[in-house]
Amino acid sequence: DQQVKQNSPSLSVQEGRISILNCDYTNSMFDYFLWYKKYPAEGPTFLISISSIKDKNEDGRFTVFLNKSAKHLSLHIVPSQPGDSAVYFCAASALGGTSYGKLTFGQGTILTVHP
Amino acid sequence: GAVVSQHPSWVICKSGTSVKIECRSLDFQATTMFWYRQFPKQSLMLMATSNEGSKATYEQGVEKDKFLINHASLTLSTLTVTSAHPEDSSFYICSAPVVRTYEQYFGPGTRLTVT
């Protein structure tokens, strides 16, 4: 049962353009969402997160949008740079209880930014 | 930012032998650490939660006797793959959450190959 889904396995974008990575979730208990960037044979690196009480969070070139009613979030990267090329994972967490801190990851989307 | 290290970064072992992987939080204390496994081109799957001073909690489908977890101190958790088989070959990643937040810092991962 894939509770967090990234339906696009890959995305190719031209340098300078916007990259939009999408993520859907099914578990309504999730209330905190994170995006991680990962290179091969390395651990994920935290990018940006958003709490369910917000619908947008921005950090430099990265913006995450959350649509709770649709159980959908997206990561926007503007402008995209070749160094952004990596695998991007969406992750979700539930508040408190025994699930505190446990992350459920999506399958990842390979982003390639062409010069 | 916080740093989490893993050792070794890669290991090759023969079937039937056991392998120990260490996860250390270098500049903060972690009462909880998480162990993930990633197959090629797939998502990170949570295997277990390592708890300092108590038993680890395992996710459904993960064999406790095969993947032994010991949280020896506030900065060290170890994962021992016992009686390794080729199907245990994978990329193992640990993470440590920052207390009272949802952020997690990931180690660089350990590539295990069982021949």
Side-chain angles (χ1 to χ4, degrees):
Chain A
D1 177 29
Q2 191 74 27
Q3 297 186 60
V4 178
K5 299 180 182 179
Q6 292 175 256
N7 292 317
S8 297
S10 63
L11 175 67
S12 183
V13 173
Q14 203 70 29
E15 181 179 9
R17 298 290 187 101
I18 184 172
S19 294
I20 300 176
L21 298 106
N22 294 303
C23 178
D24 297 292
Y25 62 97
T26 57
N27 189 340
S28 58
M29 297 300 292
F30 290 145
D31 60 0
Y32 199 83
F33 305 89
L34 309 92
W35 284 93
Y36 284 86
K37 178 180 180 180
K38 185 181 182 300
Y39 294 110
E42 292 185 12
T45 302
F46 171 74
L47 273 178
I48 192 169
S49 62
I50 188 166
S51 164
S52 60
I53 62 173
K54 295 185 176 181
D55 55 16
K56 177 183 176 181
N57 188 26
E58 191 172 354
D59 184 2
R61 296 186 298 114
F62 302 92
T63 302
V64 56
F65 295 91
L66 175 63
N67 182 334
K68 281 187 64 179
S69 60
K71 292 190 176 64
H72 176 84
L73 63 156
S74 61
L75 174 67
H76 292 211
I77 306 174
V78 181
S80 301
Q81 300 173 354
D84 295 329
S85 298
V87 180
Y88 288 78
F89 287 96
C90 168
S93 183
L95 177 68
T98 60
S99 299
Y100 189 75
K102 291 170 64 172
L103 296 180
T104 302
F105 282 86
Q107 309 95 310
T109 297
I110 301 171
L111 173 64
T112 304
V113 181
H114 299 283
Chain B
V3 178
V4 174
S5 70
Q6 278 184 245
H7 177 81
S9 56
W10 62 273
V11 57
I12 302 174
C13 71
K14 293 184 178 180
S15 287
T17 61
S18 295
V19 174
K20 180 185 285 188
I21 303 170
E22 293 185 349
C23 177
R24 293 181 185 272
S25 57
L26 297 184
D27 53 1
F28 66 103
Q29 293 182 334
T31 55
T32 299
M33 290 183 177
F34 299 101
W35 285 95
Y36 295 85
R37 181 176 181 176
Q38 185 186 26
F39 292 102
K41 298 184 179 181
Q42 293 190 25
S43 181
L44 283 77
M45 299 299 295
L46 179 65
M47 297 175 64
T49 303
S50 174
N51 304 298
E52 192 270 337
S54 64
K55 291 182 179 180
T57 54
Y58 291 81
E59 296 300 303
Q60 191 174 9
V62 178
E63 299 177 58
K64 302 178 182 181
D65 295 331
K66 182 164 189 61
F67 299 100
L68 300 180
I69 291 174
N70 181 30
H71 202 127
S73 72
L74 287 172
T75 59
L76 173 64
S77 174
T78 60
L79 168 68
T80 301
V81 183
T82 63
S83 187
H85 291 285
E87 56 264 32
D88 298 326
S89 298
S90 190
F91 192 59
Y92 293 87
I93 308 175
C94 70
S95 73
V98 180
V99 177
R100 301 299 178 190
T101 77
Y102 289 90
E103 292 185 31
Q104 289 188 27
Y105 296 100
F106 284 82
T110 297
R111 170 72 60 193
L112 170 63
T113 301
V114 184
T115 61

